[in-house]
Amino acid sequence: MKVNFNLNNKKVSIDVDPMKRLLDILREDFGLLGTKEGCGEGECGACTVLMDGKPVTSCLVNACHLEGKTILTVEAIAKEPIGKLLIDCFDETNAVQCGFCFPGFLVSSYYFLISDGEQNLDKIKEALSGNICRCTGYQKIFESVMLACKKKQLYSHRFSLIHPVR
Amino acid sequence: MKTVKKVDARRKLEGKAKFLDDYSYDGMIYGQFFCSNSHHGIIKKIIFPQEYDLSQFIIVSAKDIPGKNIVPEPECDQPFIAEKEVFHFGQIILGVAHPCKETLKDFIKNIKIEYKELPALADTKETLKDEMNSFGRKIIIDYSKNVKPKREWIHTHSVYYTPHQEQAYLEPQGMIAIHNQEQKTMFVKGTMQCPFFVKDAVEAIMGDKIKEAIIETSEGIGGAFGGKEDFPNIIAGIASLLSYKSKKPVKIVLDRSDDMKITTKRHPSRVEIDTYTDSKTHKIKKINIDYRLDAGAYQTLSPVVLSRGVLHSGGGYACEDVYIKGQLYKSNTPSNGAFRGFGAPQAFFAIESHIDKIAASLNLDPYEFRRMNIFRIGDEFPSTQKITENHLFDCFEKVIEKSDYHRKIKEFAKFNKSNDDKKGIGIAIAYHGGGYTGNGEKVLNSEVKIVIEKNGVVKVFVSNADMGQGAHTTLAQLVNETLSYPFEKTIVQIPNTSKTPNSGPTVASRTIYIVGNLLRKLALKIKKELQFENLEEFISNNQEYFPKEFRMHFVQDPSVIFNEETYQGIAYKDYSWVACVAEIYYHSVTYTIEPKRIWAVFDIGNVVNVKIAEGQAEGGIMQGVGYGLTEFFYKKGYGRMQGLTDYALPTSLDIPEINVEFIHTNSDFPKGLGEIPMHTPAPAIRNAFYNATGIFIDEIPLVPERIIKYELLKKK
């Protein structure tokens, strides 16, 4: 079937099996390799992307769900001001270990920062609970996102031109 | 203690770093395995689905192997591909390849197989109970004095069980093999810890069909934790076979459920401990340990796990009379393998639980009892190795202070009297010997190489992989700090067996301890040889001298002598130490343990990069929390665990606050850190649960279903 959707701020259209997973569409049809497959059943969060501004695990979204949707992947988020801020914070705390789960963490923390952004550990834990990391014990991830929330508040004027997610 | 940012972080964060599944080659096809769904049986018939054109598939069985059908391991007893008989669920029977992933999946799903079923052992507890199931191999550490127990000595006896544990690296296993017909080589790229192990495996399976196997790791390795120590050998071997037969590059990436079903796990254990303790002096007088591991269907590297387990099973306590026996058991489950800790977490769960049991029978605080018996200078391991530092004791006192243990013990006792929910606090201590056991490092004979290029880049060549632990950052730091050279210009190369010397596998907490210290020595040698004040200036003033290559081999300290027959002598030259306190909240309505806080104080010698070290410690502690609280496979095992949905890994909401500190960091050199954080959380949580409820549970994980059983027993 033919589907039209918005991918990383560009209109795209492809002819594809209606059951093909969004994860595979991103990786195979668009060469966006930043989105990773960790489990293929929506459990680990390594394939998280934003669909219409909300985080979803792209292994559970099929082509037939995509018509008219807006998808943002790690590749685009990494270029957004808030995405860059997060990357700086993760980098500063040496939070990244193997890094396989991190594109997913970046998307989920990005969503937390734009939708809430309060420097509140409990809220951050809740916001990241759909992403599994096996390496870090999460402590440095919490630290990074807390730091990003703080910086976002401190320099809020710089982030006033955040690209609308939807 | 410095912190340098990790060299690989930004590319990983931006999603640009390439993991195995992100590589593709011209004409590449996909491979998968067809595996047994029987625990034990003789293959009668394999029926391929008729709706497919068989000629479109490349299929390899044991018959197609030109070389040897035996995976090179410490014990060479496992075939790459099953021949007539399968010995465990998930054993590989066929390798299959096809250009389309989906077609391949459907095809394999529809292959039918008939067996003559044979008796099988799939239940670990059953397996470990009966000495008939032993492989026969025994390790004995006899430090016994044959003293008859006195009347005032208190006897304590218990049996402790630990389950399988899944490494659950987030990136599943995978390999790409490319056969080069003209040059008779096999190039293999993969996600792995030990490129030279994979080289041996590919050369073994391909026999004289290739002259050389060249193995290279992918840019990113998505976690390993021991799981990518030996299983990659099998995947690489079969991918090579498929590439050889198809004349095309073949990529095998396991999907999560296959990865969980067929790859190696942590060995389940049964540890039986008998002790006698003097009721007046509170000294442990006699320890007897029967340490058993379920190796699975084949022994593979289990003898080495057994060896480390046995050497760590006595715990950090002095005792004049110790007897330890270790054995491997055979069951019809996939061979178990390496996982962070390598036999030691099982040992420490048992001994640390047991220590609390003795303390309870003496009516002593577990802290007081540990303090009485903990290693001090002059004490001996059961292997007769002398304790030469009080660092374990220092870690222990520090963690008690940091966690405010004494105040909490009192406060929680008060709280628990008047509440149904309970609070608890527990201690565990441990050690971990760095590097290979005994003479192992001498045999490995690791070699490292540094090349200084004309343009001033210092290239570091080692075969050790960075699978997230930050090795390529910390190794570069050890070199650049010694040479007083810019960090950005010191670059550790991606391991490739045709370019990097064999500095050994990335295992056994040895990367910084052995390879890092060796690199530092080599850097010192370079400094001495070139006699420069400033290396940057030296290079630009002496261009004709570069590029220049420097190499160095590991030399074992001659005082390290270990007898592999009697298990007497120096098992490890240096030990890392840890003491840990766990605080829990027990929800009595849901029978759930909520870990609140964990403190861990380590001595790992010189800390190369404090943020990376903290990250390693926190991650290991989290895996230990999972080991103690949530992670297990159903009893009859493998058929039923399908993925991460039914195997409960700790998430951000399950993890306690973790406080890590390193002491004695002004030492000359760094020691091992990779594995030791794993040892203490499970027993500390178990001891905290006892402190909270007065219930001893000698088995992990402490899931509600298990706690209910013990609660009911208590009420009876």
Side-chain angles (χ1 to χ4, degrees):
Chain A
M1 70 183 275
K2 202 165 172 172
V3 278
N4 308 293
F5 60 105
N6 187 308
L7 175 60
N8 293 340
N9 308 316
K10 261 185 222 145
K11 277 188 183 163
V12 294
S13 146
I14 51 163
D15 201 4
V16 68
D17 179 332
M19 289 311 285
K20 189 164 186 177
R21 304 180 302 173
L22 173 57
L23 170 63
D24 298 326
I25 295 173
L26 293 173
R27 290 180 59 88
E28 291 166 11
D29 298 284
F30 293 99
L32 295 169
L33 297 171
T35 308
K36 308 292 182 195
E37 174 166 0
C39 70
E41 53 188 21
E43 192 66 26
C44 76
C47 66
T48 307
V49 298
L50 293 186
M51 180 156 93
D52 286 352
K54 292 264 166 63
V56 293
T57 43
S58 61
C59 68
L60 296 185
V61 175
N62 299 101
C64 55
H65 297 135
L66 278 179
E67 185 63 38
K69 295 279 195 279
T70 302
I71 304 294
L72 271 189
T73 70
V74 59
E75 283 86 355
I77 287 171
K79 289 179 193 151
E80 299 275 342
I82 294 282
K84 281 185 190 160
L85 170 73
L86 274 162
I87 289 176
D88 287 345
C89 294
F90 280 123
D91 194 21
E92 202 171 313
T93 51
N94 269 357
V96 185
Q97 290 193 27
C98 88
F100 196 77
C101 69
F102 262 86
F105 268 100
L106 191 75
V107 174
S108 296
S109 1
Y110 176 82
Y111 176 71
F112 177 73
L113 254 82
I114 55 164
S115 62
D116 185 327
E118 189 189 334
Q119 211 182 327
N120 175 325
L121 187 59
D122 289 336
K123 278 191 177 178
I124 292 173
K125 284 184 178 178
E126 182 78 44
L128 300 179
S129 61
N131 293 76
I132 288 177
C133 168
R134 186 58 157 169
C135 296
T136 64
Y138 303 101
Q139 311 291 314
K140 300 243 175 309
I141 297 178
F142 300 153
E143 196 187 316
S144 310
V145 180
M146 288 284 266
L147 185 66
C149 293
K150 190 176 152 192
K151 285 193 176 173
K152 188 191 160 207
Q153 276 162 18
L154 273 176
Y155 308 114
S156 54
H157 56 284
R158 278 194 219 164
F159 297 109
S160 53
L161 290 172
I162 299 168
H163 197 285
V165 179
R166 223 201 129 148
Chain B
M1 287 201 285
K2 282 188 191 166
T3 284
V4 167
K5 285 185 194 170
K6 292 187 71 183
V7 290
D8 49 347
R10 288 199 90 89
R11 275 180 63 77
K12 285 176 171 175
L13 279 161
E14 290 165 2
K16 289 179 185 158
K18 279 173 119 181
F19 292 84
L20 201 264
D21 204 14
D22 305 334
Y23 291 88
S24 52
Y25 294 88
D26 281 347
M28 187 175 81
I29 59 173
Y30 299 94
Q32 280 298 335
F33 303 132
F34 173 69
C35 302
S36 72
N37 52 5
S38 158
H39 285 295
H40 189 194
I42 292 167
I43 301 168
K44 286 203 305 205
K45 210 188 206 175
I46 298 174
I47 309 149
F48 294 109
Q50 286 185 337
E51 59 272 33
Y52 295 89
D53 175 6
L54 267 189
S55 69
Q56 298 297 306
F57 294 86
I58 308 293
I59 300 173
V60 292
S61 69
K63 280 184 223 138
D64 295 285
I65 294 176
K68 282 187 192 151
N69 188 15
I70 296 172
V71 188
E73 289 268 15
E75 183 71 39
C76 296
D77 62 347
Q78 181 182 27
F80 285 94
I81 304 181
E83 292 185 358
K84 287 192 183 108
E85 190 171 347
V86 293
F87 290 91
H88 63 81
F89 196 99
Q91 186 162 12
I92 297 170
I93 297 170
L94 299 171
V96 189
H98 189 270
C100 170
K101 250 193 252 181
E102 295 305 315
T103 313
L104 178 65
K105 226 182 224 174
D106 288 341
F107 175 75
I108 290 178
K109 212 189 270 171
N110 289 307
I111 298 176
K112 299 265 181 307
I113 182 163
E114 288 170 15
Y115 308 92
K116 180 178 173 229
E117 291 284 349
L118 296 170
L121 275 170
D123 181 332
T124 286
K125 266 189 166 174
E126 292 294 317
T127 306
L128 291 172
K129 225 186 261 171
D130 189 351
E131 222 159 322
M132 286 286 288
N133 302 325
S134 159
F135 273 105
R137 181 191 294 270
K138 251 186 211 149
I139 294 177
I140 287 173
I141 303 183
D142 190 352
Y143 191 67
S144 59
K145 307 291 184 290
N146 292 318
V147 184
K148 246 186 110 187
K150 294 189 181 144
R151 199 193 285 164
E152 66 270 26
W153 292 5
I154 289 179
H155 180 218
T156 314
H157 169 263
S158 248
V159 184
Y160 303 91
Y161 289 96
T162 63
H164 279 106
Q165 189 185 16
E166 164 66 43
Q167 291 88 354
Y169 29 73
L170 256 272
E171 181 202 24
Q173 304 243 10
M175 290 281 163
I176 298 171
I178 306 170
H179 180 229
N180 184 323
Q181 279 168 283
E182 283 133 47
Q183 291 176 1
K184 285 187 84 178
T185 56
M186 187 69 73
F187 174 75
V188 177
K189 197 168 192 74
T191 172
M192 69 188 104
Q193 293 172 240
C194 315
F196 280 91
F197 285 5
V198 173
K199 180 177 163 75
D200 288 348
V202 172
E203 286 172 359
I205 196 171
M206 294 311 300
D208 59 5
K209 300 294 178 198
I210 58 168
K211 278 195 296 201
E212 194 194 357
I214 298 165
I215 317 297
E216 186 174 277
T217 71
S218 42
E219 177 193 349
I221 296 174
F225 317 117
K228 292 173 184 169
E229 172 168 348
D230 69 343
F231 202 83
N233 298 355
I234 297 179
I235 305 175
I238 298 173
S240 300
L241 211 54
L242 286 166
S243 176
Y244 173 73
K245 197 167 173 183
S246 66
K247 303 186 172 64
K248 287 182 175 136
V250 174
K251 183 201 270 186
I252 299 182
V253 173
L254 299 188
D255 67 22
R256 180 59 64 180
S257 68
D258 277 349
D259 195 308
M260 293 194 63
K261 269 186 269 183
I262 72 177
T263 66
T264 58
K265 312 272 172 277
R266 187 187 300 291
H267 295 70
S269 75
R270 175 192 186 276
V271 185
E272 184 171 358
I273 308 184
D274 271 294
T275 52
Y276 288 90
T277 314
D278 191 318
S279 59
K280 288 187 187 120
T281 63
H282 300 152
K283 286 268 187 199
I284 306 170
K285 304 302 281 185
K286 202 176 168 69
I287 303 179
N288 197 326
I289 298 173
D290 180 350
Y291 177 93
R292 300 177 181 183
L293 294 178
D294 175 357
Y298 301 100
Q299 293 190 63
T300 63
L301 54 64
S302 299
V304 196
V305 180
L306 180 72
S307 157
R308 188 175 280 274
V310 163
L311 283 162
H312 289 72
S313 64
Y317 305 98
C319 180
E320 291 159 357
D321 186 339
V322 186
Y323 185 86
I324 304 167
K325 181 173 83 176
Q327 279 172 299
L328 292 176
Y329 284 66
K330 184 182 171 120
S331 67
N332 298 97
T333 55
S335 314
N336 293 307
F339 188 169
R340 201 174 206 161
F342 214 65
Q346 295 93 320
F348 285 113
F349 174 72
I351 190 74
E352 286 304 305
S353 300
H354 196 79
I355 290 294
D356 268 42
K357 208 166 245 186
I358 306 174
S361 63
L362 292 168
N363 222 347
L364 272 182
D365 183 291
Y367 161 77
E368 293 300 336
F369 183 62
R370 278 191 176 78
R371 195 169 189 281
M372 209 61 211
N373 290 281
I374 195 167
F375 276 150
R376 287 186 177 80
I377 290 177
D379 290 336
E380 281 182 358
F381 283 100
S383 60
T384 70
Q385 182 172 357
K386 281 254 184 305
I387 304 291
T388 55
E389 58 195 20
N390 276 338
H391 293 188
L392 178 60
F393 182 73
D394 298 339
C395 291
F396 174 64
E397 289 291 13
K398 184 85 201 179
V399 80
I400 294 294
E401 178 201 317
K402 261 177 88 89
S403 62
D404 208 357
Y405 175 85
H406 297 298
R407 185 180 65 77
K408 282 185 180 155
I409 279 276
K410 280 184 215 145
E411 194 185 297
F412 292 177
K414 212 187 270 172
F415 175 89
N416 292 344
K417 259 187 204 153
S418 48
N419 287 285
D420 285 341
D421 283 3
K422 307 287 174 200
K423 290 181 180 178
I425 190 162
I427 313 170
I429 62 168
Y431 54 85
H432 199 90
Y436 267 34
T437 308
N439 311 315
E441 288 296 339
K442 201 166 154 186
V443 176
L444 271 181
N445 191 24
S446 296
E447 189 188 16
V448 296
K449 180 172 100 177
I450 292 176
V451 175
I452 302 179
E453 299 284 359
K454 261 190 179 2
N455 62 6
V457 174
V458 173
K459 289 185 177 164
V460 180
F461 292 84
V462 292
S463 61
N464 305 90
D466 192 328
M467 54 245 192
Q469 86 282 39
H472 288 187
T473 304
T474 44
L475 291 176
Q477 271 183 273
L478 285 166
V479 173
N480 93 291
E481 282 165 19
T482 312
L483 295 174
S484 317
Y485 200 64
F487 175 74
E488 309 73 48
K489 288 190 181 175
T490 315
I491 299 168
V492 180
Q493 308 296 304
I494 296 266
N496 175 315
T497 56
S498 68
K499 294 174 190 155
T500 40
N502 189 351
S503 56
T506 321
V507 302
S509 306
R510 67 185 291 283
T511 305
I512 296 298
Y513 171 60
I514 298 284
V515 181
N517 283 318
L518 184 56
L519 277 173
R520 214 171 52 155
K521 262 189 201 159
L522 178 58
L524 282 173
K525 190 184 129 191
I526 294 172
K527 218 170 160 178
K528 211 168 159 193
E529 203 175 304
L530 302 185
Q531 296 201 337
F532 55 81
E533 293 265 309
N534 176 320
L535 182 56
E536 273 181 299
E537 282 172 21
F538 185 88
I539 297 169
S540 58
N541 296 339
N542 299 276
Q543 279 282 301
E544 69 289 355
Y545 192 72
F546 297 98
K548 173 88 179 145
E549 178 182 309
F550 304 87
R551 284 170 178 266
M552 189 181 260
H553 273 282
F554 176 79
V555 181
Q556 178 86 295
D557 181 332
S559 70
V560 177
I561 298 165
F562 184 70
N563 186 325
E564 278 164 15
E565 296 297 313
T566 62
Y567 268 66
Q568 303 283 293
I570 298 184
Y572 306 93
K573 188 171 167 286
D574 295 288
Y575 289 84
S576 299
W577 310 99
V578 64
C580 170
V581 167
E583 183 188 321
I584 61 142
Y585 187 94
Y586 174 57
H587 298 267
S588 59
V589 174
T590 52
Y591 300 93
T592 315
I593 295 174
E594 183 190 347
K596 295 297 258 187
R597 280 173 206 90
I598 288 192
W599 294 265
V601 176
F602 296 85
D603 163 32
I604 55 160
N606 187 347
V607 177
V608 181
N609 184 317
V610 70
K611 288 268 183 204
I612 289 182
E614 280 171 10
Q616 281 297 290
E618 289 158 3
I621 287 169
M622 178 196 69
Q623 292 177 357
V625 171
Y627 193 42
L629 286 178
T630 57
E631 295 178 31
F632 72 106
F633 285 89
Y634 288 114
K635 211 169 159 193
K636 297 264 183 229
Y638 287 92
R640 291 172 61 181
M641 301 308 282
Q642 294 295 326
L644 297 183
T645 308
D646 41 14
Y647 187 81
L649 296 169
T651 71
S652 57
L653 293 172
D654 306 315
I655 198 73
E657 176 191 322
I658 301 172
N659 297 283
V660 170
E661 186 173 335
F662 300 101
I663 61 169
H664 292 296
T665 52
N666 54 355
S667 117
D668 289 341
F669 60 89
K671 301 190 284 191
L673 168 63
E675 295 167 277
I676 190 168
M678 182 76 218
H679 299 352
T680 48
I685 287 171
R686 178 263 185 206
N687 290 343
F689 179 70
Y690 169 71
N691 174 248
T693 60
I695 299 172
F696 277 125
I697 300 186
D698 295 338
E699 209 177 324
I700 43 174
L702 300 175
V703 286
E705 295 89 323
R706 181 163 283 143
I707 295 174
I708 291 174
K709 254 195 325 200
Y710 281 80
E711 283 261 14
L712 292 177
L713 277 177
K714 188 189 167 195
K715 279 176 192 151
K716 273 184 194 166

